Amino acid sequence: ENSLQKTSTCSSAKPSCIFVSPYALNLSSFTKLVKRLQEKHPRFSRAEIVGAVQEVRRMNKGVLSGLAISSIEEKASAIL
């Protein structure tokens, strides 16, 4: 199965179908987090930002779930 299949939204009320790119759908929380950190810390590369997020994960027993995005952002910012 291709996880990047095209997605269409159709309804009987609207006979025309609209193509919705999978990339136009909601960004993942991780992508949003990285984007926010890049805006806040433009001098750091994406790799450095991802590394800081991974360090937050490591410090939180290997998981990020359960932490608010703002909390992860604060902790990653402190690492950067």
Side-chain angles (χ1 to χ4, degrees), residues 8-66:
S8 295
T9 56
C10 299
S11 71
S12 56
K14 281 178 128 178
S16 64
C17 292
I18 300 168
F19 169 74
V20 180
S21 166
Y23 301 107
L25 300 174
N26 290 332
L27 293 174
S28 72
S29 295
F30 180 79
T31 303
K32 288 179 186 178
L33 173 64
V34 169
K35 184 177 179 183
R36 284 171 59 169
L37 286 166
Q38 285 176 317
E39 290 169 357
K40 191 172 183 178
H41 304 284
R43 68 182 184 276
F44 290 99
S45 69
R46 186 179 194 285
E48 291 170 313
I49 290 170
V50 170
V53 173
Q54 288 175 336
E55 178 64 16
V56 172
R57 173 187 282 157
R58 189 193 63 74
M59 292 176 357
N60 196 48
K61 301 177 185 172
V63 295
L64 292 174
S65 60

